Amino acid sequence: MRCSFIRLAQSISKAPLNLTEASSMLYPPLPLYRRLLRSHRNLPVDMRRLGDDYVKSEFRRHKETTNPAYIMGFLSQWKVYLDNMPQDPNAQFRGKKLDATSFEKMSSEQLGQLYELMHAAKDVWKPIQVEGGEEESKS
C-alpha cells in the first residue's frame, strides 16, 4: 500500500508522460479551473487578481485544443501549480527556481517572455525610496 502512495505523490514532470496514469491523477478541465480560482482566494488581492486573470485567459486560449497529448500536458502542469499553492490562508506564497531541463525545453519566444516577465516583476516589487533614505517594500 505504501508504494502506491509514494507513486501517487511523485511529480509527473519527473517521469515521461504516461497518458493513462496522468489522466487518473488529473482533474477534468472545469473542476480544475474552479479549484485554481478557489486556491487564489488565499492570496493577497493584487496577486489574486493577477492569478485569476492569467488562469482565465489560459483556459480560454486553450479551449478549442483537440490534441489529447497537449491537453494532458496542459492539465498536468496546472495540477502541479495547484499542488504547489499554499493551503493555509496565512502562509506566504513562495516561488521556486526553474530547473535546467525546463530552460532547455523552452523556445526562444518563451525565453523572451520569461525575460520580460522577470523585468516586469522587478518593477512591481522594487523597494520604494522614502524621505530619509530608508527603503520600504511595496508588498
Side-chain angles (χ1 to χ4, degrees), residues 80-123:
V80 168
Y81 170 79
L82 181 62
D83 292 342
N84 289 327
M85 289 295 294
Q87 300 302 316
D88 181 20
N90 298 325
Q92 196 171 18
F93 181 72
R94 299 267 183 209
K96 64 177 187 174
K97 292 188 176 189
L98 288 174
D99 57 344
T101 56
S102 297
F103 279 114
E104 292 172 3
K105 292 179 182 179
M106 287 185 184
S107 67
S108 58
E109 181 182 340
Q110 289 172 324
L111 288 172
Q113 289 175 341
L114 187 62
Y115 184 76
E116 290 175 14
L117 177 64
M118 178 187 72
H119 282 291
K122 282 183 180 178
D123 289 342

Side-chain angles (χ1 to χ4, degrees), residues 16-116:
L17 183 63
N18 181 347
L19 293 179
T20 54
E21 284 184 16
S23 64
S24 67
M25 294 186 289
L26 297 177
Y27 296 117
L30 193 55
L32 177 63
Y33 177 77
R34 289 179 182 147
R35 284 179 184 248
L36 287 165
L37 295 178
R38 261 188 239 123
S39 73
H40 287 169
R41 292 178 187 167
N42 297 334
L43 297 174
V45 177
D46 291 339
M47 289 181 75
R48 178 182 179 178
R49 194 174 307 128
L50 175 69
D52 287 351
D53 289 345
Y54 186 72
V55 168
K56 289 174 184 177
S57 68
E58 282 296 302
F59 273 79
R60 206 174 299 121
R61 206 174 289 143
H62 295 87
K63 189 177 183 177
E64 303 298 322
T65 304
T66 57
N67 182 347
Y70 189 80
I71 293 169
M72 295 302 291
F74 179 81
L75 296 175
S76 66
Q77 289 303 309
W78 278 108
K79 175 75 166 68
V80 168
Y81 170 79
L82 181 62
D83 292 342
N84 289 327
M85 289 295 294
Q87 300 302 316
D88 181 20
N90 298 325
Q92 196 171 18
F93 181 72
R94 299 267 183 209
K96 64 177 187 174
K97 292 188 176 189
L98 288 174
D99 57 344
T101 56
S102 297
F103 279 114
E104 292 172 3
K105 292 179 182 179
M106 287 185 184
S107 67
S108 58
E109 181 182 340
Q110 289 172 324
L111 288 172
Q113 289 175 341
L114 187 62
Y115 184 76
E116 290 175 14

